[in-house]
Amino acid sequence: MEVLGSLLGQGLYGRLSTSRSNHMLVASWLVFGVVVSTGYRGSLIASLTLPRQPPRPETVEELVTAVERATIEPYGISYKGFFTESDNLVYQDLGRLMHVGIYITEGLTDALTLKRAHVGGRQYLELSVAKYFTRIDGTSPIYIGSDNIIPSTSAWPIPHDAPYKPVLDKTIMSITEAGLYEQWRKLHLEDAGRISRVKQRDELSRNKQDIQPDDGQSKPTRSLTITHVQGPLLLLVLGLAIGSVVLIAEITIVTKYSDMK
């Protein structure tokens, strides 16, 4: 305390400590306190506010072991054959799981109620989820995995050897590099989700129903319990234990040094 008081200009001797070790000790203690308190506060806020999600498949390897069927629209017959004949065992399993001819709304609905997944282009999936599977609060019970299985390709049909093709290529490249396409895509998804929420609110108002969670997954904010604050208590006990060990060691060393004299 004397060292800390001296650094703050409130020591008993009225002067600042000139020992570099004291400065390093106090600085280390302050940095440790800031880092631990900030990290624990962030973890505590996340634990109390973020909903708990069960483990879910994100990659192709996790998908083939988690679902019983992967549906795809009629155009996916070529992808099924490609995956089945692939040299990769994971994609072979995916090809055997794929069932062709299921449209996206039906496939996503089955994915909600059954142990299934729907495969398709990422952009089309994102738009369909925003349109048809967005709740009133803006959340969705459906998610899209991190791996891209079906590529999302697009092209502009133009005549062969058209004289304006280089100019068109340059314009498309400029738009893509400037991020305008991604911005347009995000705005389009936001508009689709907003329109879906407005429609649901209008239907509820016509039916004179209160807005309630769809499937009971939305839970009230959890209260702070002793389980959430046991971290600082354990840290306090650990600090007291370390301090006691250091104090006993110091007393032992001082006693032995005095006996030697």
Side-chain angles (χ1 to χ4, degrees):
M1 295 300 295
E2 172 61 22
V3 175
L4 182 60
S6 299
L7 289 175
L8 297 177
Q10 299 177 359
L12 297 177
Y13 300 100
R15 59 184 179 85
L16 184 65
S17 175
T18 57
S19 175
R20 182 172 298 179
S21 60
N22 291 341
H23 295 172
M24 294 180 61
L25 176 62
V26 175
S28 301
W29 177 75
L30 292 176
V31 171
F32 176 78
V34 170
V35 171
V36 171
S37 60
T38 303
Y40 186 79
R41 181 182 60 183
S43 301
L44 184 60
I45 293 175
S47 175
L48 294 175
T49 57
L50 295 180
R52 295 181 179 178
Q53 298 289 349
R56 58 188 191 182
E58 292 284 351
T59 62
V60 181
E61 292 82 357
E62 297 173 350
L63 179 66
V64 296
T65 58
V67 301
E68 299 174 350
R69 177 182 296 184
T71 58
I72 192 171
E73 296 194 59
Y75 69 84
I77 185 66
S78 58
Y79 289 105
K80 178 178 175 62
F82 174 76
F83 291 146
T84 305
E85 297 175 0
S86 174
D87 296 332
N88 192 312
L89 297 178
V90 175
Y91 284 100
Q92 290 180 9
D93 295 337
L94 178 61
R96 286 190 289 268
L97 290 175
M98 292 180 69
H99 284 66
V100 183
I102 307 299
Y103 289 94
I104 189 167
T105 52
E106 182 182 355
L108 293 177
T109 303
D110 291 342
L112 283 175
T113 57
L114 303 174
K115 198 175 181 181
R116 298 180 181 179
H118 187 79
V119 180
R122 175 174 293 273
Q123 297 174 4
Y124 186 39
L125 286 173
E126 290 177 347
L127 181 60
S128 299
V129 170
K131 277 186 176 181
Y132 307 114
F133 297 93
T134 299
R135 298 192 183 107
I136 296 180
D137 58 358
T139 61
S140 175
I142 296 179
Y143 76 99
I144 300 175
S146 58
D147 277 5
N148 289 323
I149 301 176
I150 305 298
S152 298
T153 57
S154 59
W156 286 7
I158 60 175
H160 189 269
D161 295 332
Y164 53 83
K165 182 179 181 299
V167 179
L168 182 61
D169 291 340
K170 183 178 180 180
T171 304
I172 295 176
M173 184 63 68
S174 300
I175 293 174
T176 304
E177 291 180 350
L180 297 179
Y181 175 76
E182 285 297 322
Q183 182 65 21
W184 169 81
R185 185 182 64 85
K186 292 178 181 179
L187 293 176
H188 195 52
L189 292 176
E190 291 176 359
D191 291 340
R194 182 171 60 254
I195 293 173
S196 176
R197 294 193 299 271
V198 170
K199 288 182 179 179
Q200 294 181 61
R201 290 193 182 97
D202 292 341
E203 291 178 359
L204 288 176
S205 61
R206 285 195 299 267
N207 297 331
K208 297 181 180 180
Q209 296 178 355
D210 296 331
I211 299 177
Q212 298 292 339
D214 292 343
D215 51 5
Q217 293 183 358
S218 300
K219 298 180 180 179
T221 304
R222 295 189 295 273
S223 59
L224 188 66
T225 62
I226 189 63
T227 305
H228 299 105
V229 297
Q230 65 181 356
L233 296 178
L234 295 176
L235 188 61
L236 175 62
V237 173
L238 179 62
L240 293 175
I242 295 175
S244 301
V245 172
V246 173
L247 179 61
I248 294 173
E250 183 178 356
I251 294 175
T252 303
I253 294 174
V254 171
T255 303
K256 290 184 178 180
Y257 183 75
S258 300
D259 294 340
M260 291 176 61
K261 288 185 175 181

